[in-house]
């Protein structure tokens, strides 16, 4: 599983055998400064070298990878269609997509999944996913340049859902908000009984926490990052800054819940599960808990995955888990 994020690249290697799934290797690259902006790769050389170096340094021999995209160029929508067989739906989806995708249909790659075939006699619910072709091609090329073969290109939000569903047992009626906070993008995916009801990528992430700390305390980027990781100057209180930056995220969550109510999909969110490199930022969990009045927890994508504790020598598995969620899900 290869997660190309805007701040770093994460890779995990999982062995599937009779005894279950086992994490046998993982790696996280050094920070990539400005190489990827809003999901678009700006510095190809830096990114493909970082991928190749990560595979070399971790001695990963496997050359086939599953990877994912997110950001403005990816659209996920639940739509209502006339009831059709999977084969006929393949034909019809192109026309349906034209009604829902704000880009020229010839410029996007499309996929779909029938999620509620028995809705009624005439209609079915379909999850439509569209991504700009040039973004997909660029993503695949950069992986090939690093000497690897991309087998699957998924969507970050669905990879997170895979990782969470593999590790947690939810009640069928439970509505879960999966919130993955990256450096530039936060992926929100509200699911119930394995169905994504609402999926959106927001242009808010830990970079806005860092910038807020730099402005308020007049410190360098490194000092601000250390403060966010709880390793910095005791005089820097990051909680109020995190809360201000997260208000936008909370407003979007409120809107998503209002939308789910109006569409009759769900009345409320029952719990929020945080993942991503910023899931453990001080004050974040408490703020979302207060603001939305629901339990908030940080994901543990290693809960049902076996691994040799020695694999995490020097790193805390609890802290690494949220960072590796997308790669594990892939």
């Amino acid at each position: 599983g290869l997660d190309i994020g805007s701040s770093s690249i994460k890779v995990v290697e999982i062995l599937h055998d009779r005894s279950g799934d086992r994490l046998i290797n993982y790696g996280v690259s050094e920070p990539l400064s400005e190489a990827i902006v809003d999901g678009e790769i700006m510095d190809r050389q830096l990114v493909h070298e970082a991928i190749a170096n990560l595979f070399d340094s971790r001695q990963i021999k496997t050359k086939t990878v599953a990877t994912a995209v997110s950001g403005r160029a990816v659209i996920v929508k639940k739509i209502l269609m006339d009831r059709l067989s999977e084969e006929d739906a393949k034909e019809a989806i192109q026309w349906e997509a034209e009604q829902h995708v704000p880009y020229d249909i010839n410029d996007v790659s499309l996929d779909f999944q029938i999620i509620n075939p028995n809705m009624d006699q005439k209609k079915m619910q379909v999850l439509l996913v569209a991504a700009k072709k040039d973004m997909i091609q660029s993503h695949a090329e950069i992986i090939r340049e690093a000497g690897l073969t991309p087998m699957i290109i998924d969507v970050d939000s669905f990879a997170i859902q895979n990782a969470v569903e593999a590790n947690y047992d939810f009640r069928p009626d439970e509505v879960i908000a999966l919130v993955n906070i990256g450096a530039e993008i936060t992926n929100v995916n509200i699911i119930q009984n394995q169905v994504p009801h609402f999926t959106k990528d927001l242009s808010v992430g830990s970079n806005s926490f860092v910038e807020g700390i730099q402005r308020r305390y007049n410190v360098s980027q490194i000092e601000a990052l250390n403060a966010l990781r709880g390793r910095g100057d005791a005089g820097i209180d990051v909680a109020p800054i995190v809360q201000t930056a997260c208000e936008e995220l909370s407003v979007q969550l409120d809107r998503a819940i209002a939308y789910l109510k109006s569409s009759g999909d769900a009345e409320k969110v029952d719990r929020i599960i945080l993942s991503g490199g910023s899931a453990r930022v001080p004050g974040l969990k408490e703020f979302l808990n207060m603001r939305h009045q629901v339990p908030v927890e940080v994901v543990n994508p290693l809960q049902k995955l076996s691994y040799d504790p020695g694999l995490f020598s020097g790193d805390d598995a609890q802290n690494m888990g949220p960072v590796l969620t997308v790669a594990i899900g892939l």
Side-chain angles (χ1 to χ4, degrees):
L2 178 65
D3 171 17
I4 303 174
S6 52
S7 72
S8 65
I9 291 163
K10 281 75 75 176
V11 63
V12 302
E13 196 173 16
I14 293 176
L15 182 70
H16 306 281
D17 62 17
R18 281 193 204 135
S19 59
D21 297 336
R22 192 155 51 101
L23 180 71
I24 55 170
N25 208 338
Y26 80 95
V28 180
S29 76
E30 290 297 309
L32 308 167
S33 58
E34 309 291 308
I36 299 173
V37 178
D38 194 31
E40 301 276 344
I41 296 164
M42 299 293 166
D43 187 335
R44 301 185 62 80
Q45 180 85 12
L46 184 64
V47 174
H48 87 71
E49 281 177 5
I51 296 170
N53 291 343
L54 193 54
F55 273 69
D56 283 349
S57 64
R58 300 301 298 173
Q59 298 176 339
I60 295 174
K61 301 284 182 278
T62 308
K63 294 295 180 210
T64 52
V65 299
T67 183
V69 290
S70 64
R72 221 171 289 164
V74 181
I75 290 158
V76 177
K77 264 192 166 170
K78 206 163 69 164
I79 63 172
L80 214 51
M81 266 176 81
D82 289 337
R83 196 167 174 177
L84 297 166
S85 70
E86 185 113 9
E87 278 308 304
D88 292 340
K90 269 182 195 159
E91 301 289 316
I93 202 78
Q94 198 83 6
W95 184 83
E96 285 286 343
E98 283 187 8
Q99 326 297 311
H100 295 280
V101 175
Y103 304 122
D104 182 329
I105 209 68
N106 300 312
D107 295 341
V108 296
S109 294
L110 288 176
D111 204 349
F112 72 97
Q113 177 88 40
I114 298 169
I115 48 177
N116 193 345
N118 309 320
M119 192 163 177
D120 65 28
Q121 295 301 305
K122 297 189 177 126
K123 297 284 180 188
M124 62 182 186
Q125 273 185 337
V126 173
L127 191 67
L128 172 71
V129 184
K132 280 193 164 177
K133 275 183 187 162
D134 55 3
M135 181 207 199
I136 296 285
Q137 280 158 359
S138 161
H139 206 85
E141 275 164 23
I142 215 146
I143 289 168
R144 290 190 191 105
E145 283 164 19
L148 306 169
T149 305
M151 297 292 282
I152 291 170
I153 297 186
D154 205 335
V155 174
D156 284 341
S157 287
F158 297 156
I160 292 151
Q161 186 176 343
N162 289 346
V164 171
E165 286 174 351
N167 284 283
Y168 291 78
D169 300 312
F170 300 123
R171 299 188 317 272
D173 62 336
E174 247 180 315
V175 181
I176 320 289
L178 305 177
V179 178
N180 182 59
I181 302 179
E184 286 194 339
I185 296 172
T186 292
N187 318 105
V188 174
N189 187 15
I190 299 178
I191 62 168
Q192 182 186 13
N193 204 11
Q194 300 186 334
V195 173
H197 281 318
F198 178 92
T199 309
K200 193 170 184 181
D201 293 335
L202 310 175
S203 297
V204 59
S206 60
N207 286 358
S208 42
F209 306 162
V210 172
E211 285 156 18
I213 294 167
Q214 283 183 272
R215 272 198 307 273
R216 180 181 283 194
Y217 292 101
N218 199 13
V219 292
S220 71
Q221 190 180 13
I222 298 293
E223 288 170 300
L225 267 169
N226 281 336
L228 268 186
R229 291 173 184 147
R231 292 201 292 261
D233 181 341
I236 299 178
D237 182 8
V238 302
I241 294 157
V242 168
Q243 291 174 11
T244 307
C246 278
E247 183 53 37
E248 187 190 334
L249 167 63
S250 284
V251 168
Q252 293 282 359
L253 277 175
D254 288 339
R255 281 187 192 150
I257 295 158
Y259 167 77
L260 293 181
K261 272 187 189 171
S262 67
S263 62
D265 282 328
E267 279 302 304
K268 63 180 197 324
V269 161
D270 295 304
R271 60 169 148 164
I272 296 172
I273 296 182
L274 300 175
S275 59
S278 301
R280 293 187 176 279
V281 163
L284 174 63
K285 197 170 104 169
E286 294 72 14
F287 168 71
L288 291 173
N289 172 253
M290 281 282 296
R291 177 73 170 64
H292 297 282
Q293 296 293 300
V294 295
V296 181
E297 61 195 285
V298 175
V299 73
N300 177 5
L302 300 164
Q303 213 160 242
K304 293 187 181 176
L305 204 53
S306 62
Y307 59 89
D308 173 358
L311 186 61
F312 288 95
S313 61
D315 287 326
D316 176 5
Q318 286 293 101
N319 284 336
M320 282 310 297
V323 177
L324 300 174
T325 309
V326 170
I328 288 171
L330 286 167

